[in-house]
Amino acid sequence: MRGMSDDLEEIMIRERMKKRRLSENQNEEIYENEDRLSDLPDCVILHILSFLNTKHVVRTCVLSTRWKHLWKRIPTLILHSSRFSTLKKFTVFVHKILTLRDTSSALHALDLDRRGNIEPQLLKKILNYVCSHNNHLSKLGISVRGDSSFILSCVSSCRALTSLQLSIYPRGNDFTETLFPKSLNLPLLTSLDLTNFAFDGGETGCAEPFLVFTKLNSLVICSCKVKDASTLRISSETLVNLAIDSPLKKISFVVQHNLFNIVMIELSTPNLCTFKFTGDLVQKICGSGLSSVKQVNIYSRDFSALAEHALVLRSWLLDFANVESLTVTSTVLQILSLVPDLLEVKLSLCYLKSMEIELIPIYDISLLLLIKEAMLKKAAAKSRKEVAMLRKAFKARLEPPAIPDGIVDFLRQNSPSAEVKITTDYSSNFNLKQIEESIKGAKIIKYRPRFAAPASPAASASSSEFASNASPASATEPASAAPPNLHLCRTEKDDKSSNEDKVEKHQLSTSRHWVVKEFSY
């Protein structure tokens, strides 16, 4: 009897545990399926939704009765035509949004992105809506091909703006710059991002379009020109971030040499902290603005590099007295290496803490020839033997090093402990291990293989073959006679590699790398 009672008790305990587990699982399932987002107040939900594209925000109307009309009170409108399969669908959507949105709800931000011609009626409707809600509008972004006069008239009425991003081109295939209005007065503006504008110098011969923006913190200038002036002056006590995408050129109907058509930028920005530049290294900068910069970002592929570009780059480096972080492409370093007697130049980079180098292939034949010519001149100053070795290496179709010898130590001459990080999207184009070993303290921190294929044993074999052919085996040779540090990668490739290179080159020429527009909202 006692054994039976024990068995019954054990069965009952198991049943109770089974029911408890079942109950816990049900509670967990209820908790997991609970709509905790809907428990938030409307103001919090609307703030969350304001980060989404408006097309996605509207879709939330099907979630529940509470969400049915919530989207109509969204304070931010993000209208990007790229989110729609056809322009007609985009146009219909925008018309409905502007018609159905709760007009009593304040509009804090609007971002219109139509990278192409926009229907005049649609543009007019959007701009009228902006003007009717301009009391609280703090952020405005417009990227279109349309009538600039309507757009600028609308912008001038938005006195509460703190952030403005404008990319305006005429309709059709016209790339004429839009003249930036001198009368534009936005007293609260802190962030300005301009693409395809022209700044008028007037009678003074010096364009100074940003003087009226007394609170300006971030400025981005992309593909802009200067009219009737040879200098663009940027004078601001409050400016912290400056980004220039493409050198500023003069508006001229006469075809001139690239360097003579470039406008001088005069900086009077004592609090400038971040400087970013993208494009050909021909932009001359004067003034004291660069001396306060702590973070520098220079991106250049320079498909038309000249020896003069190297001198421009050197002049920048001489002005960088307080830089702590330096980010450059390998092409920038290649161009810098063209400066005669570069390693003898004294820099003042005493506070440099980190350096990041992005490796990119060189496709510009003229730049490659300049680099080889500079290497031969340096070798000729040492011995004929080194010149002969270099010529033999070039004849064997071996490329110069991605990062020129001694260039990193040159930049770290006053900060030898500065960290060096190397990144690349083209890992198959470089001998990453060799590059990492050639620079003291360097680290490959990230790379994404493109048309991925690790270095083949054949490539390694050709490396050994070059080393043995280029330098005769001799135990008594001095260290200076060592073969140059060339990329052990022959330019002769199979058909597949050639096709891959063509694809890569096409992608490089059609894509705009490095979004300098980090300052835009």
Side-chain angles (χ1 to χ4, degrees):
M1 291 291 292
R2 185 176 180 180
M4 289 180 62
S5 63
D6 290 342
D7 291 341
L8 287 173
E9 185 176 354
E10 185 177 349
I11 292 172
M12 292 175 65
I13 292 173
R14 288 179 178 176
E15 285 295 326
R16 282 198 296 270
M17 291 178 66
K18 185 177 180 181
K19 289 180 180 180
R20 184 181 298 172
R21 283 197 299 269
L22 182 61
S23 176
E24 288 176 353
N25 290 337
Q26 288 175 344
N27 290 336
E28 287 180 3
E29 186 175 349
I30 292 172
Y31 182 76
E32 289 176 357
N33 295 332
E34 184 181 358
D35 183 9
R36 283 173 286 173
L37 185 61
S38 295
D39 290 340
L40 298 173
D42 285 359
C43 62
V44 176
I45 294 177
L46 289 172
H47 179 70
I48 295 172
L49 293 178
S50 67
F51 293 97
L52 301 178
N53 189 285
T54 304
K55 181 180 180 181
H56 297 151
V57 174
V58 174
R59 289 176 175 175
T60 62
C61 67
V62 300
L63 296 178
S64 68
T65 304
R66 182 194 175 191
W67 290 76
K68 187 174 182 180
H69 300 289
L70 194 61
W71 66 271
K72 297 180 181 180
R73 293 155 50 201
I74 190 76
T76 299
L77 293 179
I78 302 177
L79 308 172
H80 291 182
S81 62
S82 59
R83 298 286 182 174
F84 297 83
S85 57
T86 65
L87 181 58
K88 184 178 180 180
K89 290 181 179 180
F90 172 70
T91 302
V92 171
F93 177 81
V94 172
H95 274 287
K96 287 185 176 180
I97 287 293
L98 300 183
T99 303
L100 298 176
R101 186 178 178 273
D102 185 355
T103 55
S104 63
S105 298
L107 181 65
H108 295 157
L110 182 139
D111 183 11
L112 171 64
D113 190 342
R114 164 60 187 146
R115 297 299 174 92
N117 294 331
I118 187 169
E119 293 182 4
Q121 290 183 345
L122 177 61
L123 179 60
K124 187 176 181 179
K125 185 178 182 67
I126 295 172
L127 295 178
N128 285 339
Y129 193 87
V130 169
C131 290
S132 64
H133 292 77
N134 59 10
N135 290 335
H136 300 282
L137 189 69
S138 61
K139 296 181 179 180
L140 178 62
I142 300 177
S143 298
V144 296
R145 280 188 174 274
D147 192 330
S148 60
S149 60
F150 283 159
I151 297 172
L152 294 175
S153 176
C154 171
V155 169
S156 63
S157 70
C158 303
R159 303 272 295 174
L161 283 179
T162 60
S163 177
L164 176 62
Q165 183 267 323
L166 294 176
S167 176
I168 306 174
Y169 289 86
R171 287 176 60 84
N173 294 321
D174 191 354
F175 290 90
T176 304
E177 296 79 14
T178 300
L179 190 63
F180 191 74
K182 293 182 178 180
S183 59
L184 190 62
N185 185 16
L186 303 173
L188 303 180
L189 195 69
T190 59
S191 178
L192 181 61
D193 186 330
L194 301 174
T195 298
N196 197 50
F197 277 85
F199 308 114
D200 189 4
E203 297 178 356
T204 63
C206 176
E208 197 167 6
F210 313 116
L211 194 60
V212 294
F213 307 122
T214 57
K215 295 186 177 182
L216 196 62
N217 178 271
S218 296
L219 176 62
V220 178
I221 305 172
C222 177
S223 301
C224 293
K225 292 185 178 180
V226 174
K227 178 185 178 184
D228 298 330
S230 56
T231 302
L232 175 71
R233 182 178 296 147
I234 302 175
S235 180
S236 173
E237 295 281 339
T238 59
L239 191 66
V240 175
N241 305 311
L242 174 62
I244 301 172
D245 188 340
S246 301
L248 272 79
K249 299 180 180 179
K250 301 176 187 177
I251 293 180
S252 175
F253 298 103
V254 180
V255 179
Q256 292 179 308
H257 188 279
N258 198 27
L259 288 175
F260 296 108
N261 201 31
I262 300 300
V263 173
M264 173 73 75
I265 295 181
E266 182 181 330
L267 293 180
S268 179
T269 50
N271 295 305
L272 190 64
C273 183
T274 301
F275 174 73
K276 298 191 177 187
F277 183 86
T278 304
D280 291 345
L281 298 172
V282 295
Q283 185 66 70
K284 294 184 178 181
I285 301 174
C286 66
S288 58
L290 295 181
S291 61
S292 62
V293 172
K294 294 185 178 179
Q295 182 179 345
V296 175
N297 224 318
I298 305 174
Y299 188 91
S300 176
R301 292 188 182 277
D302 242 317
F303 291 109
S304 57
L306 300 171
E308 291 91 335
H309 296 193
L311 299 178
V312 171
L313 185 56
R314 184 191 65 174
S315 69
W316 290 5
L317 290 172
L318 292 174
D319 289 335
F320 292 141
N322 294 290
V323 171
E324 297 179 0
S325 172
L326 177 63
T327 300
V328 295
T329 61
S330 54
T331 306
V332 171
L333 299 183
Q334 296 278 14
I335 295 170
L336 181 61
S337 70
L338 299 178
V339 175
D341 301 320
L342 174 68
L343 301 184
E344 297 177 10
V345 176
K346 301 298 180 184
L347 299 179
S348 56
L349 295 173
C350 300
Y351 304 102
L352 190 63
K353 296 179 181 177
S354 66
M355 187 189 310
E356 184 171 323
I357 303 170
E358 181 183 349
L359 300 177
I360 56 176
I362 298 178
Y363 293 111
D364 180 20
I365 300 300
S366 62
L367 175 58
L368 200 57
L369 291 175
L370 283 172
I371 293 169
K372 290 181 178 180
E373 183 181 347
M375 291 179 68
L376 287 170
K377 285 183 179 179
K378 292 175 183 178
K382 295 180 180 179
S383 68
R384 292 183 179 181
K385 190 172 184 178
E386 285 206 20
V387 174
M389 290 166 55
L390 265 179
R391 291 190 184 281
K392 187 174 182 180
F394 293 150
K395 192 174 181 179
R397 299 190 179 184
L398 297 175
E399 300 175 1
I403 300 176
D405 295 339
I407 200 84
V408 172
D409 288 336
F410 163 72
L411 294 171
R412 293 191 299 182
Q413 59 184 260
N414 296 319
S415 304
S417 61
E419 183 182 21
V420 179
K421 300 176 182 178
I422 299 174
T423 67
T424 185
D425 287 341
Y426 307 92
S427 58
S428 60
N429 291 64
F430 301 100
N431 187 331
L432 297 179
K433 184 178 180 182
Q434 184 193 53
I435 293 173
E436 187 173 21
E437 292 175 350
S438 66
I439 302 172
K440 184 179 179 181
K443 293 182 180 179
I444 307 289
I445 59 170
K446 61 178 180 180
Y447 66 89
R448 181 170 64 255
R450 296 167 68 99
F451 314 108
S456 64
S460 300
S462 66
S463 302
S464 303
E465 181 184 353
F466 165 72
S468 59
N469 291 337
S471 56
S474 175
T476 59
E477 278 188 355
S480 60
N485 178 22
L486 298 181
H487 247 341
L488 306 182
C489 177
R490 297 187 181 276
T491 56
E492 291 180 343
K493 300 179 181 180
D494 57 22
D495 293 339
K496 183 179 179 181
S497 298
S498 299
N499 291 333
E500 290 172 351
D501 285 351
K502 289 177 183 178
V503 173
E504 275 194 50
K505 189 171 183 179
H506 175 71
Q507 289 178 338
L508 290 174
S509 62
T510 56
S511 64
R512 179 182 174 189
H513 196 76
W514 197 319
V515 191
V516 293
K517 305 205 171 190
E518 288 183 21
F519 304 141
S520 62
Y521 66 86

